[in-house]
Amino acid sequence: MKELAAIILAAGKGTRMKSKMPKVLHRVAGFPMLYYPLSVLKGLKAKRVIVVVGHGAEEVRAAFADEKVEFVTQSEQLGTGHAVMTAVKGLAGFRGDILILSGDVPLITKETIKALCAIHRGASLKKRPALSMVTALLEDTKGYGRVVRDEHGAVVRVVEDRDCSPLQREINEVNAGIYLVSSKFLLGNIGRVNNRNAQGEYYLPDLIEIAVKSGEKVSALTHLYPEEVFGINNRVELARADKIMRKRTAEALMLNGVTIIDPDSTYIDAQVKAGMDTVIYPGVHLIGPTVIGEDCVIEENVRIEDSSIGDNSTIKSHSIIEDSEAGKEVSIGPFARLRPGSVIRDRARIGNFVEVKKTVVGKGSKANHLTYLGDSVIGEGVNIGAGTITCNYDGFSKHTTTIEDGAFIGSDTQLVAPVRVGKGAYVGSGTTVTRDVPPDSLVTTRAEERVIEGWAERKRRKGRKKGH
Ligand code: UD1
Ligand code: CA
């Protein structure tokens, strides 16, 4: 098998996006566009991956700093041909095939690249192509380069939209901007691409005509699902690509046994995983690398971001979970909010209007109503009554509240941190706890109850005399 290197073109400004941000950082299904061609390459064992950056180079490098890729800067964006000239400088001596992808074509799949490799490297071919490309038949061809073929059907060149004659503009086969080129041909000929055209740019597709004129063979793979080679140049196209990517992710989950009641109104990012027999209701947003277990129910309008939920758990309507972890058989919501750093252990319950932040809630513990738990460590089997507040902030810094196993916190309690409630202790309703509570004790700070009989009736009588 020939070795493979890849060049991804990502230096352009993306003028048509009308954005301060480089185009390839705009998000499709939760991830910057450039993430997708890079993940396709991971499955293809490319020996080297060179990303051409230019506009917003520092931002793009920083966003992909953890990837095993080489960045090359094209300081002036003089066209796709010039971008490749810049990239191949680092490929001198490479023997094999060079795959060229665009950072703005995120819907491309590994299967298509494999098919392109097959037509390029086909063992039974008498003459192997110097260059193979992907084309697509589109209804709306605006902005794409048109593929011109000769009377035998062979590709002879690509003409950019702006350079098309009226007749060429009618051609509905377009260049997808995805090429596989033998290193020998690319390294030897990229320097021949010039900028004599309507935009004064070095057009990479001119390499096709150069190949044909030098007697080299050019192959074209015409894609049957043109949406895959759909390039993103503006925000209308961005929204369209986002929808297609989300649909793909949802369909993959459904085929793996997840019920998604209305995929059209469910927003699932490309990296989300969910287990068998989980049911996802409409209006749910699953964001980032979120993982949902098996047999879970995620009710309507829930948002779960960068979090994991264990098997057999229910997340009830309108709950928001961010950067947190829930175990098995937990119940959260409706209207609950887990802020970053919350850990809800197995069988625990977090009810309506409960906010949890940087807090561990132990196995089987419950905070069912109207509560704030921040910077806390809560043991197993603890009951937190309605309206409990951990007062974690003293105006200067945050402090920890610790509630040990089996403790009972009565309703309307304030726990002024740092404070500890010992194992099995009782906190009476309405208590303000400011000192540690020993295990198995009762603490209350309630003022004694006073009943004044007949007081209300006397007050009403006085009022009537004054004529109220
Ligand atoms: C390009 C093709 C067109 C094809 C279409 C498919 C050219 C001249 N035209 O047009 O035939 O139908 O893609 O989507 O190649 N880039 C650089 N440096 C530059 C210019 C561009 O890195 O100097 C990058 C861009 O960031 C982008 C990619 O190359 O990721 C394509 O550039 P773009 O300007 O979007 O080309 P199109 O007009 O879409
Ligand atoms: Ca483009």
Side-chain angles (χ1 to χ4, degrees):
M1 186 67 119
K2 273 196 171 177
E3 285 197 336
L4 187 72
I7 299 173
I8 305 185
L9 306 183
K13 181 164 191 287
T15 313
R16 291 163 279 183
M17 294 299 283
K18 306 227 164 106
S19 175
K20 294 183 279 304
M21 187 162 71
K23 173 160 74 174
V24 293
L25 293 188
H26 280 266
R27 285 172 185 263
V28 171
F31 293 89
M33 236 183 267
L34 181 58
Y35 160 86
Y36 296 98
L38 286 176
S39 56
V40 163
L41 287 175
K42 279 185 192 142
L44 291 167
K45 299 201 181 78
K47 202 115 198 126
R48 301 193 40 199
V49 177
I50 297 175
V51 181
V52 185
V53 291
H55 182 79
E58 287 316 308
E59 274 174 85
V60 179
R61 279 172 193 257
F64 291 90
D66 297 338
E67 298 285 335
K68 281 203 200 95
V69 300
E70 304 161 49
F71 290 97
V72 166
T73 305
Q74 182 197 16
S75 7
E76 261 189 297
Q77 286 80 60
L78 304 177
T80 49
H82 180 259
V84 172
M85 288 174 204
T86 312
V88 295
K89 284 185 190 143
L91 281 172
F94 177 79
R95 296 271 168 278
D97 290 324
I98 300 175
L99 176 67
I100 304 173
L101 300 177
S102 284
D104 66 349
V105 182
L107 299 170
I108 187 72
T109 64
K110 195 171 75 189
E111 287 66 34
T112 296
I113 304 300
K114 282 192 168 162
L116 182 67
C117 289
I119 68 156
H120 189 74
R121 296 169 168 179
S124 57
L125 295 176
K126 253 194 248 132
K127 182 174 177 174
R128 299 233 177 133
L131 183 152
S132 299
M133 62 187 294
V134 179
T135 75
L137 298 172
L138 293 188
E139 271 175 38
D140 182 9
T141 53
K142 197 164 175 291
Y144 286 91
R146 309 297 202 282
V147 178
V148 180
R149 292 182 183 257
D150 67 12
E151 64 275 21
H152 308 294
V155 174
V156 289
R157 64 174 178 278
V158 166
V159 184
E160 290 307 306
D161 194 47
R162 293 229 238 151
D163 299 280
C164 276
S165 67
L167 220 73
Q168 286 168 333
R169 198 158 279 129
E170 296 300 308
I171 298 173
N172 65 353
E173 185 179 17
V174 303
N175 169 28
I178 297 156
Y179 320 84
L180 190 59
V181 195
S182 80
S183 57
K184 190 161 166 251
F185 178 74
L186 185 66
L187 299 176
N189 292 278
I190 187 69
R192 295 172 63 192
V193 170
N194 64 46
N195 63 354
R196 292 190 289 274
N197 51 55
Q199 300 186 81
E201 280 185 9
Y202 294 87
Y203 289 162
L204 178 60
D206 284 0
L207 207 56
I208 292 154
E209 193 173 5
I210 292 171
V212 172
K213 284 194 171 153
S214 341
E216 295 285 356
K217 184 168 165 180
V218 170
S219 295
L221 173 75
T222 305
H223 208 288
L224 296 177
Y225 300 98
E227 69 176 27
E228 209 191 279
V229 295
F230 177 46
I232 295 169
N233 297 310
N234 58 45
R235 298 198 199 221
V236 176
E237 291 168 343
L238 181 70
R240 219 172 109 193
D242 191 272
K243 200 170 188 141
I244 295 167
M245 189 59 84
R246 287 184 190 285
K247 184 165 171 248
R248 261 193 212 170
T249 309
E251 285 178 0
L253 289 175
M254 290 189 277
L255 293 172
N256 276 324
V258 177
T259 293
I260 300 178
I261 294 187
D262 180 17
D264 285 341
S265 66
T266 311
Y267 301 84
I268 302 180
D269 278 359
Q271 272 189 6
V272 169
K273 294 190 172 63
M276 205 196 288
D277 292 319
T278 280
V279 180
I280 300 175
Y281 280 78
V284 167
H285 292 240
L286 301 178
I287 297 161
T290 287
V291 179
I292 315 278
E294 295 189 358
D295 297 297
C296 290
V297 178
I298 315 294
E299 292 186 355
E300 64 278 3
N301 302 328
V302 164
R303 176 188 167 96
I304 306 178
E305 186 171 347
D306 301 338
S307 298
S308 67
I309 310 287
D311 298 342
N312 283 299
S313 293
T314 300
I315 314 298
K316 294 184 178 162
S317 316
H318 303 282
S319 295
I320 298 175
I321 299 177
E322 199 185 331
D323 230 331
S324 292
E325 187 187 320
K328 294 180 181 161
E329 293 171 49
V330 303
S331 172
I332 293 171
F335 298 100
R337 179 170 183 213
L338 303 193
R339 288 168 51 203
S342 301
V343 178
I344 312 299
R345 302 243 194 258
D346 297 353
R347 295 181 314 286
R349 303 177 75 85
I350 301 294
N352 41 212
F353 309 108
V354 174
E355 175 180 344
V356 183
K357 188 214 80 174
K358 224 172 168 186
T359 286
V360 179
V361 178
K363 284 186 185 161
S365 291
K366 297 178 201 157
N368 275 335
H369 331 267
L370 302 158
T371 285
Y372 172 62
L373 301 173
D375 303 290
S376 312
V377 179
I378 295 164
E380 296 183 10
V382 169
N383 188 82
I384 309 267
T388 296
I389 309 273
T390 55
C391 310
N392 56 334
Y393 185 54
D394 59 9
F396 301 99
S397 42
K398 301 279 169 70
H399 302 281
T400 305
T401 300
T402 306
I403 303 174
E404 294 181 352
D405 296 351
F408 181 96
I409 312 296
S411 299
D412 192 23
T413 289
Q414 299 99 53
L415 298 146
V416 182
V419 75
R420 172 182 294 266
V421 176
K423 216 166 168 179
Y426 260 69
V427 177
S429 299
T431 299
T432 303
V433 183
T434 54
R435 277 173 293 157
D436 288 0
V437 181
D440 295 318
S441 49
L442 167 73
V443 59
T444 80
T445 54
R446 243 176 269 163
E448 205 179 322
E449 191 167 316
R450 207 156 68 116
V451 177
I452 305 170
E453 282 187 28
W455 183 92
E457 180 50 24
R458 285 198 294 279
K459 183 171 169 67
R460 280 194 291 272
R461 221 181 297 139
K462 262 193 208 162
R464 276 198 293 274
K465 269 192 195 152
K466 284 186 182 161
H468 289 317

